Amino acid sequence: MKIYKRKISFFKKNSFLDNIFNSPFVIIFINWLFQGIRGMQSKELFFRLILELIFILFFNNIIKLNLIFSLIISHTFFWIFFCHFWVVIRYLPIYNNNLVNMNITHKNLIIKVINFKFINEAIIIGSVSKKNKIENINSDVDLRIFFKKGFLEFFLINLFMYYLRFYSFLMKFPLDIYSYDNFSIFKKIDKRDKIRIIKDHKKKIKKYLKKL
């Protein structure tokens, strides 16, 4: 079973290891194992670890499952409902979608971000941001939002991200979303990637980008 395109490019193309690591099983397993934590910064990562620990303790102490099962069930629950489920599934040949529905969901997501008062800055990067629409069912949307200062904002923005991930799961929409601690991430974004600003309170993003 071949995937839509190679996701892991550490090895020579079509070599034995390349075929192994780009097989559907390995791609799903790696995604399940790490669940995007390599792309998380401290505030998002801390919230995720604490939340999953609470789930593990619930299954272990309240439901009375052993620790290994509690960990696997909790980790799988987060992977399906609160991670980037459709982002990885789109690589598989069994994946299919509807462009009309995807573009409707895309617009709804942007509206939700714009209307959420605890977010001041948000961007979309990549090909979708360039054309402002989805033209391929295998495309995903790379949404990046930024934390405001304060504990309440930290808590609510994290919850809002989980809401958007769950909403995207229900809508069968490949949403790749992260929240960053500050604007320094712009230095790591490939200059070839188009950046679409969808929310920029007091034009802080534009001012920061001009200084780069």
Side-chain angles (χ1 to χ4, degrees), residues 21-50:
F21 277 86
N22 282 289
S23 65
F25 175 79
V26 173
I27 286 177
I28 288 176
F29 176 74
I30 291 175
N31 188 265
W32 174 86
L33 184 64
F34 292 104
Q35 300 194 19
I37 63 173
R38 293 172 296 174
M40 296 180 186
Q41 291 189 341
S42 59
K43 292 180 180 179
E44 182 180 357
L45 179 59
F46 176 76
F47 188 86
R48 167 59 194 268
L49 293 176
I50 293 299

PDB file of all heavy atoms in Angstrom, residues 21-50:
ATOM      1  N   PHE A  21      10.072   3.240   6.351  1.00  0.00           N
ATOM      2  CA  PHE A  21       9.649   4.398   7.147  1.00  0.00           C
ATOM      3  C   PHE A  21       8.531   5.194   6.488  1.00  0.00           C
ATOM      4  O   PHE A  21       7.866   5.994   7.153  1.00  0.00           O
ATOM      5  CB  PHE A  21      10.852   5.302   7.432  1.00  0.00           C
ATOM      6  CG  PHE A  21      11.671   4.856   8.607  1.00  0.00           C
ATOM      7  CD1 PHE A  21      12.674   3.913   8.454  1.00  0.00           C
ATOM      8  CD2 PHE A  21      11.416   5.354   9.868  1.00  0.00           C
ATOM      9  CE1 PHE A  21      13.425   3.483   9.544  1.00  0.00           C
ATOM     10  CE2 PHE A  21      12.150   4.937  10.966  1.00  0.00           C
ATOM     11  CZ  PHE A  21      13.161   3.991  10.803  1.00  0.00           C
ATOM     12  N   ASN A  22       8.310   4.987   5.200  1.00  0.00           N
ATOM     13  CA  ASN A  22       7.195   5.650   4.520  1.00  0.00           C
ATOM     14  C   ASN A  22       6.038   4.691   4.247  1.00  0.00           C
ATOM     15  O   ASN A  22       5.176   4.978   3.417  1.00  0.00           O
ATOM     16  CB  ASN A  22       7.673   6.285   3.211  1.00  0.00           C
ATOM     17  CG  ASN A  22       8.405   7.592   3.442  1.00  0.00           C
ATOM     18  OD1 ASN A  22       7.804   8.603   3.802  1.00  0.00           O
ATOM     19  ND2 ASN A  22       9.714   7.576   3.274  1.00  0.00           N
ATOM     20  N   SER A  23       6.019   3.598   4.969  1.00  0.00           N
ATOM     21  CA  SER A  23       4.879   2.688   4.886  1.00  0.00           C
ATOM     22  C   SER A  23       3.755   3.217   5.784  1.00  0.00           C
ATOM     23  O   SER A  23       4.016   3.909   6.776  1.00  0.00           O
ATOM     24  CB  SER A  23       5.287   1.284   5.340  1.00  0.00           C
ATOM     25  OG  SER A  23       5.636   1.285   6.716  1.00  0.00           O
ATOM     26  N   PRO A  24       2.504   2.948   5.446  1.00  0.00           N
ATOM     27  CA  PRO A  24       1.377   3.455   6.250  1.00  0.00           C
ATOM     28  C   PRO A  24       1.473   3.105   7.731  1.00  0.00           C
ATOM     29  O   PRO A  24       1.209   3.950   8.585  1.00  0.00           O
ATOM     30  CB  PRO A  24       0.166   2.788   5.588  1.00  0.00           C
ATOM     31  CG  PRO A  24       0.590   2.567   4.188  1.00  0.00           C
ATOM     32  CD  PRO A  24       2.048   2.228   4.249  1.00  0.00           C
ATOM     33  N   PHE A  25       1.863   1.867   8.039  1.00  0.00           N
ATOM     34  CA  PHE A  25       1.921   1.442   9.440  1.00  0.00           C
ATOM     35  C   PHE A  25       2.926   2.270  10.232  1.00  0.00           C
ATOM     36  O   PHE A  25       2.639   2.741  11.338  1.00  0.00           O
ATOM     37  CB  PHE A  25       2.290  -0.045   9.525  1.00  0.00           C
ATOM     38  CG  PHE A  25       2.497  -0.517  10.934  1.00  0.00           C
ATOM     39  CD1 PHE A  25       1.408  -0.801  11.755  1.00  0.00           C
ATOM     40  CD2 PHE A  25       3.779  -0.662  11.451  1.00  0.00           C
ATOM     41  CE1 PHE A  25       1.605  -1.221  13.066  1.00  0.00           C
ATOM     42  CE2 PHE A  25       3.979  -1.085  12.760  1.00  0.00           C
ATOM     43  CZ  PHE A  25       2.890  -1.362  13.571  1.00  0.00           C
ATOM     44  N   VAL A  26       4.135   2.453   9.669  1.00  0.00           N
ATOM     45  CA  VAL A  26       5.182   3.187  10.381  1.00  0.00           C
ATOM     46  C   VAL A  26       4.808   4.654  10.529  1.00  0.00           C
ATOM     47  O   VAL A  26       5.022   5.268  11.584  1.00  0.00           O
ATOM     48  CB  VAL A  26       6.542   3.033   9.670  1.00  0.00           C
ATOM     49  CG1 VAL A  26       7.594   3.930  10.308  1.00  0.00           C
ATOM     50  CG2 VAL A  26       6.993   1.572   9.723  1.00  0.00           C
ATOM     51  N   ILE A  27       4.250   5.245   9.489  1.00  0.00           N
ATOM     52  CA  ILE A  27       3.846   6.651   9.547  1.00  0.00           C
ATOM     53  C   ILE A  27       2.794   6.862  10.632  1.00  0.00           C
ATOM     54  O   ILE A  27       2.877   7.806  11.426  1.00  0.00           O
ATOM     55  CB  ILE A  27       3.324   7.127   8.178  1.00  0.00           C
ATOM     56  CG1 ILE A  27       4.490   7.299   7.209  1.00  0.00           C
ATOM     57  CG2 ILE A  27       2.548   8.444   8.311  1.00  0.00           C
ATOM     58  CD1 ILE A  27       4.080   7.683   5.813  1.00  0.00           C
ATOM     59  N   ILE A  28       1.811   5.993  10.687  1.00  0.00           N
ATOM     60  CA  ILE A  28       0.766   6.111  11.705  1.00  0.00           C
ATOM     61  C   ILE A  28       1.344   5.894  13.101  1.00  0.00           C
ATOM     62  O   ILE A  28       1.019   6.621  14.047  1.00  0.00           O
ATOM     63  CB  ILE A  28      -0.367   5.107  11.423  1.00  0.00           C
ATOM     64  CG1 ILE A  28      -1.159   5.567  10.204  1.00  0.00           C
ATOM     65  CG2 ILE A  28      -1.296   4.980  12.632  1.00  0.00           C
ATOM     66  CD1 ILE A  28      -2.237   4.597   9.774  1.00  0.00           C
ATOM     67  N   PHE A  29       2.214   4.896  13.240  1.00  0.00           N
ATOM     68  CA  PHE A  29       2.800   4.624  14.551  1.00  0.00           C
ATOM     69  C   PHE A  29       3.628   5.796  15.059  1.00  0.00           C
ATOM     70  O   PHE A  29       3.519   6.189  16.234  1.00  0.00           O
ATOM     71  CB  PHE A  29       3.668   3.363  14.501  1.00  0.00           C
ATOM     72  CG  PHE A  29       4.383   3.087  15.798  1.00  0.00           C
ATOM     73  CD1 PHE A  29       3.691   2.603  16.890  1.00  0.00           C
ATOM     74  CD2 PHE A  29       5.743   3.357  15.925  1.00  0.00           C
ATOM     75  CE1 PHE A  29       4.345   2.365  18.094  1.00  0.00           C
ATOM     76  CE2 PHE A  29       6.402   3.127  17.127  1.00  0.00           C
ATOM     77  CZ  PHE A  29       5.700   2.628  18.218  1.00  0.00           C
ATOM     78  N   ILE A  30       4.471   6.367  14.187  1.00  0.00           N
ATOM     79  CA  ILE A  30       5.305   7.501  14.587  1.00  0.00           C
ATOM     80  C   ILE A  30       4.437   8.696  14.963  1.00  0.00           C
ATOM     81  O   ILE A  30       4.695   9.382  15.958  1.00  0.00           O
ATOM     82  CB  ILE A  30       6.296   7.873  13.467  1.00  0.00           C
ATOM     83  CG1 ILE A  30       7.350   6.768  13.303  1.00  0.00           C
ATOM     84  CG2 ILE A  30       6.986   9.204  13.758  1.00  0.00           C
ATOM     85  CD1 ILE A  30       8.298   6.982  12.142  1.00  0.00           C
ATOM     86  N   ASN A  31       3.382   8.917  14.177  1.00  0.00           N
ATOM     87  CA  ASN A  31       2.479  10.029  14.473  1.00  0.00           C
ATOM     88  C   ASN A  31       1.751   9.791  15.787  1.00  0.00           C
ATOM     89  O   ASN A  31       1.585  10.710  16.596  1.00  0.00           O
ATOM     90  CB  ASN A  31       1.487  10.203  13.324  1.00  0.00           C
ATOM     91  CG  ASN A  31       0.648  11.458  13.468  1.00  0.00           C
ATOM     92  OD1 ASN A  31      -0.462  11.400  13.994  1.00  0.00           O
ATOM     93  ND2 ASN A  31       1.177  12.571  13.024  1.00  0.00           N
ATOM     94  N   TRP A  32       1.315   8.555  16.017  1.00  0.00           N
ATOM     95  CA  TRP A  32       0.650   8.222  17.282  1.00  0.00           C
ATOM     96  C   TRP A  32       1.605   8.413  18.462  1.00  0.00           C
ATOM     97  O   TRP A  32       1.216   8.917  19.518  1.00  0.00           O
ATOM     98  CB  TRP A  32       0.172   6.778  17.247  1.00  0.00           C
ATOM     99  CG  TRP A  32      -0.390   6.299  18.552  1.00  0.00           C
ATOM    100  CD1 TRP A  32      -1.673   6.443  18.995  1.00  0.00           C
ATOM    101  CD2 TRP A  32       0.322   5.618  19.601  1.00  0.00           C
ATOM    102  NE1 TRP A  32      -1.803   5.889  20.260  1.00  0.00           N
ATOM    103  CE2 TRP A  32      -0.593   5.384  20.653  1.00  0.00           C
ATOM    104  CE3 TRP A  32       1.651   5.190  19.749  1.00  0.00           C
ATOM    105  CZ2 TRP A  32      -0.222   4.739  21.828  1.00  0.00           C
ATOM    106  CZ3 TRP A  32       2.021   4.544  20.924  1.00  0.00           C
ATOM    107  CH2 TRP A  32       1.085   4.324  21.944  1.00  0.00           C
ATOM    108  N   LEU A  33       2.859   8.016  18.273  1.00  0.00           N
ATOM    109  CA  LEU A  33       3.830   8.063  19.363  1.00  0.00           C
ATOM    110  C   LEU A  33       4.153   9.498  19.765  1.00  0.00           C
ATOM    111  O   LEU A  33       4.123   9.841  20.957  1.00  0.00           O
ATOM    112  CB  LEU A  33       5.110   7.333  18.941  1.00  0.00           C
ATOM    113  CG  LEU A  33       6.206   7.208  19.997  1.00  0.00           C
ATOM    114  CD1 LEU A  33       5.710   6.356  21.164  1.00  0.00           C
ATOM    115  CD2 LEU A  33       7.465   6.591  19.388  1.00  0.00           C
ATOM    116  N   PHE A  34       4.465  10.355  18.789  1.00  0.00           N
ATOM    117  CA  PHE A  34       4.929  11.709  19.098  1.00  0.00           C
ATOM    118  C   PHE A  34       3.811  12.757  19.105  1.00  0.00           C
ATOM    119  O   PHE A  34       3.910  13.750  19.816  1.00  0.00           O
ATOM    120  CB  PHE A  34       6.017  12.127  18.103  1.00  0.00           C
ATOM    121  CG  PHE A  34       7.286  11.352  18.242  1.00  0.00           C
ATOM    122  CD1 PHE A  34       7.614  10.358  17.331  1.00  0.00           C
ATOM    123  CD2 PHE A  34       8.149  11.591  19.298  1.00  0.00           C
ATOM    124  CE1 PHE A  34       8.788   9.626  17.466  1.00  0.00           C
ATOM    125  CE2 PHE A  34       9.321  10.877  19.441  1.00  0.00           C
ATOM    126  CZ  PHE A  34       9.639   9.881  18.521  1.00  0.00           C
ATOM    127  N   GLN A  35       2.782  12.553  18.300  1.00  0.00           N
ATOM    128  CA  GLN A  35       1.609  13.422  18.292  1.00  0.00           C
ATOM    129  C   GLN A  35       1.939  14.909  18.191  1.00  0.00           C
ATOM    130  O   GLN A  35       1.318  15.761  18.847  1.00  0.00           O
ATOM    131  CB  GLN A  35       0.738  13.131  19.506  1.00  0.00           C
ATOM    132  CG  GLN A  35       0.244  11.702  19.536  1.00  0.00           C
ATOM    133  CD  GLN A  35      -0.880  11.448  20.516  1.00  0.00           C
ATOM    134  OE1 GLN A  35      -1.561  12.384  20.954  1.00  0.00           O
ATOM    135  NE2 GLN A  35      -1.094  10.200  20.864  1.00  0.00           N
ATOM    136  N   GLY A  36       2.939  15.243  17.403  1.00  0.00           N
ATOM    137  CA  GLY A  36       3.249  16.640  17.144  1.00  0.00           C
ATOM    138  C   GLY A  36       3.989  17.363  18.250  1.00  0.00           C
ATOM    139  O   GLY A  36       4.186  18.577  18.171  1.00  0.00           O
ATOM    140  N   ILE A  37       4.433  16.654  19.288  1.00  0.00           N
ATOM    141  CA  ILE A  37       5.078  17.343  20.408  1.00  0.00           C
ATOM    142  C   ILE A  37       6.400  17.990  20.001  1.00  0.00           C
ATOM    143  O   ILE A  37       6.850  18.935  20.646  1.00  0.00           O
ATOM    144  CB  ILE A  37       5.304  16.401  21.610  1.00  0.00           C
ATOM    145  CG1 ILE A  37       6.253  15.251  21.251  1.00  0.00           C
ATOM    146  CG2 ILE A  37       3.989  15.867  22.136  1.00  0.00           C
ATOM    147  CD1 ILE A  37       6.648  14.399  22.441  1.00  0.00           C
ATOM    148  N   ARG A  38       7.016  17.480  18.921  1.00  0.00           N
ATOM    149  CA  ARG A  38       8.272  18.083  18.462  1.00  0.00           C
ATOM    150  C   ARG A  38       8.057  19.494  17.945  1.00  0.00           C
ATOM    151  O   ARG A  38       8.991  20.300  17.903  1.00  0.00           O
ATOM    152  CB  ARG A  38       8.906  17.202  17.384  1.00  0.00           C
ATOM    153  CG  ARG A  38       9.393  15.856  17.888  1.00  0.00           C
ATOM    154  CD  ARG A  38       9.836  14.961  16.757  1.00  0.00           C
ATOM    155  NE  ARG A  38       8.725  14.634  15.870  1.00  0.00           N
ATOM    156  CZ  ARG A  38       8.850  13.953  14.741  1.00  0.00           C
ATOM    157  NH1 ARG A  38      10.029  13.544  14.341  1.00  0.00           N
ATOM    158  NH2 ARG A  38       7.793  13.680  14.015  1.00  0.00           N
ATOM    159  N   GLY A  39       6.830  19.813  17.535  1.00  0.00           N
ATOM    160  CA  GLY A  39       6.535  21.157  17.036  1.00  0.00           C
ATOM    161  C   GLY A  39       5.964  22.081  18.091  1.00  0.00           C
ATOM    162  O   GLY A  39       5.705  23.252  17.825  1.00  0.00           O
ATOM    163  N   MET A  40       5.762  21.568  19.298  1.00  0.00           N
ATOM    164  CA  MET A  40       5.170  22.376  20.366  1.00  0.00           C
ATOM    165  C   MET A  40       6.225  23.186  21.094  1.00  0.00           C
ATOM    166  O   MET A  40       7.346  22.716  21.287  1.00  0.00           O
ATOM    167  CB  MET A  40       4.443  21.481  21.373  1.00  0.00           C
ATOM    168  CG  MET A  40       3.268  20.740  20.829  1.00  0.00           C
ATOM    169  SD  MET A  40       2.482  19.720  22.131  1.00  0.00           S
ATOM    170  CE  MET A  40       1.253  18.843  21.163  1.00  0.00           C
ATOM    171  N   GLN A  41       5.844  24.371  21.515  1.00  0.00           N
ATOM    172  CA  GLN A  41       6.690  25.151  22.402  1.00  0.00           C
ATOM    173  C   GLN A  41       6.216  24.948  23.836  1.00  0.00           C
ATOM    174  O   GLN A  41       5.258  24.233  24.097  1.00  0.00           O
ATOM    175  CB  GLN A  41       6.679  26.620  21.988  1.00  0.00           C
ATOM    176  CG  GLN A  41       7.374  26.861  20.663  1.00  0.00           C
ATOM    177  CD  GLN A  41       7.567  28.333  20.333  1.00  0.00           C
ATOM    178  OE1 GLN A  41       6.907  29.203  20.891  1.00  0.00           O
ATOM    179  NE2 GLN A  41       8.474  28.614  19.417  1.00  0.00           N
ATOM    180  N   SER A  42       6.877  25.581  24.772  1.00  0.00           N
ATOM    181  CA  SER A  42       6.740  25.233  26.192  1.00  0.00           C
ATOM    182  C   SER A  42       5.311  25.304  26.741  1.00  0.00           C
ATOM    183  O   SER A  42       4.869  24.391  27.449  1.00  0.00           O
ATOM    184  CB  SER A  42       7.664  26.114  27.035  1.00  0.00           C
ATOM    185  OG  SER A  42       7.355  27.483  26.855  1.00  0.00           O
ATOM    186  N   LYS A  43       4.562  26.356  26.418  1.00  0.00           N
ATOM    187  CA  LYS A  43       3.232  26.519  27.004  1.00  0.00           C
ATOM    188  C   LYS A  43       2.262  25.454  26.518  1.00  0.00           C
ATOM    189  O   LYS A  43       1.493  24.897  27.302  1.00  0.00           O
ATOM    190  CB  LYS A  43       2.692  27.916  26.690  1.00  0.00           C
ATOM    191  CG  LYS A  43       3.438  29.036  27.395  1.00  0.00           C
ATOM    192  CD  LYS A  43       2.849  30.397  27.043  1.00  0.00           C
ATOM    193  CE  LYS A  43       3.597  31.504  27.757  1.00  0.00           C
ATOM    194  NZ  LYS A  43       3.071  32.840  27.411  1.00  0.00           N
ATOM    195  N   GLU A  44       2.305  25.176  25.232  1.00  0.00           N
ATOM    196  CA  GLU A  44       1.422  24.148  24.684  1.00  0.00           C
ATOM    197  C   GLU A  44       1.844  22.756  25.155  1.00  0.00           C
ATOM    198  O   GLU A  44       1.000  21.925  25.510  1.00  0.00           O
ATOM    199  CB  GLU A  44       1.430  24.212  23.159  1.00  0.00           C
ATOM    200  CG  GLU A  44       0.497  23.202  22.506  1.00  0.00           C
ATOM    201  CD  GLU A  44       0.517  23.265  20.986  1.00  0.00           C
ATOM    202  OE1 GLU A  44       1.212  24.141  20.425  1.00  0.00           O
ATOM    203  OE2 GLU A  44      -0.163  22.426  20.371  1.00  0.00           O
ATOM    204  N   LEU A  45       3.142  22.509  25.169  1.00  0.00           N
ATOM    205  CA  LEU A  45       3.651  21.208  25.578  1.00  0.00           C
ATOM    206  C   LEU A  45       3.333  20.929  27.045  1.00  0.00           C
ATOM    207  O   LEU A  45       2.915  19.815  27.403  1.00  0.00           O
ATOM    208  CB  LEU A  45       5.161  21.139  25.354  1.00  0.00           C
ATOM    209  CG  LEU A  45       5.855  19.833  25.763  1.00  0.00           C
ATOM    210  CD1 LEU A  45       5.262  18.650  25.001  1.00  0.00           C
ATOM    211  CD2 LEU A  45       7.357  19.926  25.530  1.00  0.00           C
ATOM    212  N   PHE A  46       3.507  21.913  27.905  1.00  0.00           N
ATOM    213  CA  PHE A  46       3.223  21.755  29.336  1.00  0.00           C
ATOM    214  C   PHE A  46       1.756  21.407  29.548  1.00  0.00           C
ATOM    215  O   PHE A  46       1.429  20.487  30.313  1.00  0.00           O
ATOM    216  CB  PHE A  46       3.580  23.039  30.085  1.00  0.00           C
ATOM    217  CG  PHE A  46       3.243  23.014  31.545  1.00  0.00           C
ATOM    218  CD1 PHE A  46       4.031  22.313  32.447  1.00  0.00           C
ATOM    219  CD2 PHE A  46       2.132  23.693  32.025  1.00  0.00           C
ATOM    220  CE1 PHE A  46       3.706  22.282  33.804  1.00  0.00           C
ATOM    221  CE2 PHE A  46       1.797  23.666  33.369  1.00  0.00           C
ATOM    222  CZ  PHE A  46       2.596  22.964  34.263  1.00  0.00           C
ATOM    223  N   PHE A  47       0.873  22.122  28.878  1.00  0.00           N
ATOM    224  CA  PHE A  47      -0.572  21.875  29.026  1.00  0.00           C
ATOM    225  C   PHE A  47      -0.919  20.467  28.558  1.00  0.00           C
ATOM    226  O   PHE A  47      -1.693  19.762  29.207  1.00  0.00           O
ATOM    227  CB  PHE A  47      -1.352  22.916  28.220  1.00  0.00           C
ATOM    228  CG  PHE A  47      -2.829  22.883  28.457  1.00  0.00           C
ATOM    229  CD1 PHE A  47      -3.391  23.588  29.505  1.00  0.00           C
ATOM    230  CD2 PHE A  47      -3.670  22.149  27.627  1.00  0.00           C
ATOM    231  CE1 PHE A  47      -4.760  23.569  29.734  1.00  0.00           C
ATOM    232  CE2 PHE A  47      -5.035  22.114  27.842  1.00  0.00           C
ATOM    233  CZ  PHE A  47      -5.583  22.826  28.896  1.00  0.00           C
ATOM    234  N   ARG A  48      -0.340  20.067  27.425  1.00  0.00           N
ATOM    235  CA  ARG A  48      -0.627  18.729  26.880  1.00  0.00           C
ATOM    236  C   ARG A  48      -0.171  17.635  27.841  1.00  0.00           C
ATOM    237  O   ARG A  48      -0.908  16.663  28.089  1.00  0.00           O
ATOM    238  CB  ARG A  48       0.070  18.568  25.533  1.00  0.00           C
ATOM    239  CG  ARG A  48       0.130  17.133  24.987  1.00  0.00           C
ATOM    240  CD  ARG A  48      -1.276  16.555  24.823  1.00  0.00           C
ATOM    241  NE  ARG A  48      -1.209  15.107  24.630  1.00  0.00           N
ATOM    242  CZ  ARG A  48      -1.156  14.513  23.440  1.00  0.00           C
ATOM    243  NH1 ARG A  48      -1.135  15.236  22.339  1.00  0.00           N
ATOM    244  NH2 ARG A  48      -1.128  13.203  23.344  1.00  0.00           N
ATOM    245  N   LEU A  49       1.025  17.752  28.395  1.00  0.00           N
ATOM    246  CA  LEU A  49       1.546  16.733  29.302  1.00  0.00           C
ATOM    247  C   LEU A  49       0.707  16.626  30.569  1.00  0.00           C
ATOM    248  O   LEU A  49       0.412  15.525  31.045  1.00  0.00           O
ATOM    249  CB  LEU A  49       3.002  17.046  29.653  1.00  0.00           C
ATOM    250  CG  LEU A  49       4.006  16.935  28.491  1.00  0.00           C
ATOM    251  CD1 LEU A  49       5.392  17.366  28.962  1.00  0.00           C
ATOM    252  CD2 LEU A  49       4.034  15.532  27.923  1.00  0.00           C
ATOM    253  N   ILE A  50       0.317  17.777  31.105  1.00  0.00           N
ATOM    254  CA  ILE A  50      -0.509  17.774  32.319  1.00  0.00           C
ATOM    255  C   ILE A  50      -1.874  17.164  32.040  1.00  0.00           C
ATOM    256  O   ILE A  50      -2.380  16.340  32.821  1.00  0.00           O
ATOM    257  CB  ILE A  50      -0.669  19.205  32.873  1.00  0.00           C
ATOM    258  CG1 ILE A  50       0.663  19.742  33.379  1.00  0.00           C
ATOM    259  CG2 ILE A  50      -1.713  19.234  33.991  1.00  0.00           C
ATOM    260  CD1 ILE A  50       1.279  18.946  34.514  1.00  0.00           C
TER     261      ILE A  50
END
